[in-house]
Amino acid sequence: MNTAAFSSLPLNPALLENIASLGYTHLTPIQAETLPPILEGKDVIAQAKTGSGKTAAFGIGVLSRLEFNRFNVQALVICPTRELADQVCKEIRRLARFTQNVKVLSLCGGVPFGPQLGSLEHGVHIVVGTPGRLQEHLRKRSLRLNHLKVLVLDEADRMLDMGFEEAISDVISYAPTHRQTLLFSATYADPIREISKKFQFKPITVSIDSSHHDSVIGQHFYQVDKARRMSALGYLLAYHRPESTVVFCNTKRECQDIASTLDNCGFSVQALHGDLEQKHRDQVLVRFANKSCSVLVATDVAARGLDIKELQAVINYELPWDPEIYVHRIGRTGRAGKLGLALSLCTEAELPRVKAIEDYQGVAAKWDEVAPFPMAYAERFQPPMVTLWIDGGRKNKLRPGDILGALTGDAGLAGSAIGKIDIFDDHAYVAVSQDSVDEALAWLKRGKIKGRSFMVRKSQWG
């Protein structure tokens, strides 16, 4: 494993100090391979999965190229989903804390157009956005790329899968020819090579081994009859009791059916699929990320851009046809040195898919058995946290520290009882442990946050 330190790179001392304060000391393999050529201004095409440290790699590269005293768009990051764009923005802002002057703006669909226009008029250094909304701004001339220095295509394979190739080409047509182009993808198939040929100049190619080893992810396969698949899923969830599990299935209909069945059995579960409105999608992701929902049933398309820090298990209710998709699915667990679980159900007819996975990974499948499981209602599958919804957000100048301070100070709750806090424009969510939630709710209903009273309730959508 590469153990080079960030301090070995030719970086601004203030940026280095900030990187150290964030707890980053040594480069991940993808950072060690990509940062030197990125800092030299070369084009790079890198194969790396989610969670490999790629965002910090291109984020540091981008920040090193900026002229902070010029308030025009110098870097553009194109992402497949709003969730991923939001994560990239957060990471770049964290990396940019060494200077007060960096303006980072997210331009994504599903949110009002007006406020984005206002932000662009005030001057922005870095734009992170989804193809469709970027096209809109470029056509309206509210976004101009004349001064662009760095273009980043993040999760390029997912963008192609989602049919964004034409939109990406259109966005790039507004950018100067003389620029640095960085392309990151979990896979390195022919369409990615074609995109690289079209938009990059003599790129440096970096490929980090994307296979998963048992020291990080325990992979187990279970052969079941089609009629017993649901019962087998219930058994695996009840046996392993993971606090956070994504169950992958192949269709939206199946996704909803599985979630409904698990809900009827007392599991804490929500469905994530393409038919959800953005508001409901946000709620689902908030509750899953803050551990007040334990099981997320998702399709591959809906889960793109999903980045949950401590995902304990991935279950393939049905195996995908493509072994690369299997590897991408299970790569969401077993991060940061923690052991992850990848559990896969398959029928006899699907055995060729297991063979394809074995060939792709170069490792024999481990087979286990499931016991019969009665799909009956039980209270015992409750998650560790409960989400409270607060009727106030950014527009009310509400910050996470205000909510945390109210609960741990005035209300007297232990800091360990408070989980993740998410602030949106008009509302906020706070996760509170099951045994403290009633006390927190009662206090927030009669007490004040930042000197103001807000409506508060348990968030139970799903």
Side-chain angles (χ1 to χ4, degrees):
M1 187 181 211
N2 196 306
T3 55
F6 277 97
S7 55
S8 66
L9 296 169
L11 295 173
N12 176 320
L15 173 56
L16 272 175
E17 196 178 320
N18 184 47
I19 289 168
S21 77
L22 294 172
Y24 298 154
T25 51
H26 290 83
L27 299 155
T28 66
I30 194 70
Q31 291 162 358
E33 295 288 330
T34 59
L35 263 169
I38 287 174
L39 294 173
E40 287 171 16
K42 294 176 180 172
D43 285 7
V44 172
I45 176 168
Q47 182 183 356
K49 63 181 188 289
T50 305
S52 59
K54 61 184 170 68
T55 308
F58 66 71
I60 290 166
V62 161
L63 290 168
S64 299
R65 297 287 308 278
L66 291 186
E67 292 177 61
F68 301 125
N69 57 346
R70 294 179 60 191
F71 282 86
N72 40 42
V73 178
Q74 296 170 50
L76 173 66
V77 184
I78 310 178
C79 300
T81 64
R82 179 179 154 194
E83 285 79 39
L84 183 64
D86 287 344
Q87 287 158 23
V88 168
C89 276
K90 278 181 193 164
E91 179 72 3
I92 292 177
R93 285 189 187 115
R94 287 173 74 224
L95 291 166
R97 284 195 314 215
F98 69 95
T99 172
Q100 296 301 304
N101 296 331
V102 178
K103 296 285 183 288
V104 186
L105 177 64
S106 172
L107 295 181
C108 300
V111 293
F113 203 84
Q116 295 180 348
L117 288 174
S119 298
L120 284 165
E121 282 168 10
H122 284 98
V124 174
H125 293 106
I126 303 168
V127 166
V128 183
T130 48
R133 183 53 64 95
L134 291 172
Q135 277 183 297
E136 285 183 77
H137 278 288
L138 288 163
R139 285 173 189 156
K140 288 181 171 17
R141 300 178 73 79
S142 46
L143 172 63
R144 294 171 184 266
L145 302 180
N146 333 24
H147 301 280
L148 192 77
K149 295 180 173 187
V150 188
L151 169 73
V152 182
L153 298 174
D154 193 15
E155 297 205 357
D157 52 335
R158 299 294 148 211
M159 291 198 280
L160 297 187
D161 288 348
M162 294 165 83
F164 284 144
E165 185 171 359
E166 203 174 299
I168 292 167
S169 297
D170 184 36
V171 169
I172 296 175
S173 72
Y174 288 85
T177 313
H178 295 290
R179 61 170 192 266
Q180 182 179 22
T181 306
L182 310 175
L183 191 156
F184 289 82
S185 170
T187 60
Y188 196 28
D190 287 342
I192 294 298
R193 290 188 177 90
E194 290 304 314
I195 283 275
S196 172
K197 255 187 243 175
K198 197 170 169 184
F199 298 120
Q200 293 188 296
F201 176 73
K202 295 184 178 174
I204 305 295
T205 302
V206 174
S207 184
I208 300 299
D209 180 18
S210 64
S211 63
H212 303 292
H213 303 290
D214 267 358
S215 59
V216 181
I217 300 176
Q219 299 180 57
H220 302 269
F221 292 82
Y222 306 84
Q223 189 175 334
V224 294
D225 297 332
K226 198 170 183 179
R228 286 189 56 228
R229 210 193 289 257
M230 193 68 227
S231 162
L233 174 61
Y235 170 81
L236 292 176
L237 289 169
Y239 179 81
H240 290 286
R241 294 286 182 91
E243 283 184 2
S244 57
T245 309
V246 175
V247 176
F248 279 103
C249 50
N250 294 345
T251 67
K252 281 186 280 192
R253 173 72 186 274
E254 203 172 44
C255 187
Q256 198 59 61
D257 289 349
I258 294 166
S260 298
T261 305
L262 289 175
D263 183 53
N264 290 336
C265 293
F267 289 99
S268 163
V269 59
Q270 294 186 102
L272 186 70
H273 52 72
D275 287 349
L276 291 186
E277 290 176 18
Q278 189 63 49
K279 178 179 70 173
H280 286 163
R281 185 180 167 89
D282 286 341
Q283 282 183 286
V284 167
L285 292 173
V286 162
R287 288 188 58 206
F288 185 65
N290 71 17
K291 302 243 172 92
S292 61
C293 165
S294 300
V295 183
L296 190 66
V297 186
T299 56
D300 288 298
V301 171
R304 280 169 192 158
L306 180 70
D307 188 18
I308 304 298
K309 291 285 179 281
E310 293 177 19
L311 187 57
Q312 291 176 350
V314 168
I315 299 179
N316 292 295
Y317 184 78
E318 189 178 348
L319 285 168
W321 286 99
D322 186 342
E324 276 199 23
I325 293 175
Y326 168 84
V327 168
H328 194 70
R329 281 181 182 182
I330 72 169
R332 290 179 165 91
T333 185
R335 291 194 189 164
K338 294 188 177 175
L339 185 66
L341 273 176
L343 313 172
S344 300
L345 303 174
C346 81
T347 61
E348 190 175 356
E350 291 161 6
L351 288 174
R353 300 185 200 183
V354 180
K355 177 71 169 68
I357 290 165
E358 287 179 317
D359 292 344
Y360 185 79
Q361 291 191 315
V363 179
K366 281 187 181 171
W367 292 94
D368 284 314
E369 291 187 1
V370 287
F373 182 76
M375 295 298 283
Y377 185 79
E379 285 284 356
R380 63 185 183 277
F381 304 122
Q382 292 309 297
M385 310 297 279
V386 177
T387 298
L388 297 181
W389 172 88
I390 299 168
D391 186 26
R394 285 192 202 101
K395 288 181 181 173
N396 308 91
K397 302 281 192 288
L398 212 56
R399 296 169 308 174
D402 301 325
I403 297 169
L404 183 64
L407 288 170
T408 57
D410 302 335
L413 277 114
S416 57
I418 314 301
K420 203 163 174 284
I421 299 172
D422 294 274
I423 310 279
F424 289 80
D425 283 346
D426 302 305
H427 58 276
Y429 299 101
V430 54
V432 182
S433 64
Q434 287 276 5
D435 54 3
S436 300
V437 71
D438 291 336
E439 191 184 341
L441 185 59
W443 189 90
L444 288 173
K445 280 184 172 176
R446 67 174 186 269
K448 293 187 176 182
I449 305 170
K450 215 176 178 180
R452 286 187 54 191
S453 298
F454 292 96
M455 273 175 56
V456 184
R457 66 166 188 259
K458 286 185 185 178
S459 175
Q460 295 295 352
W461 185 85

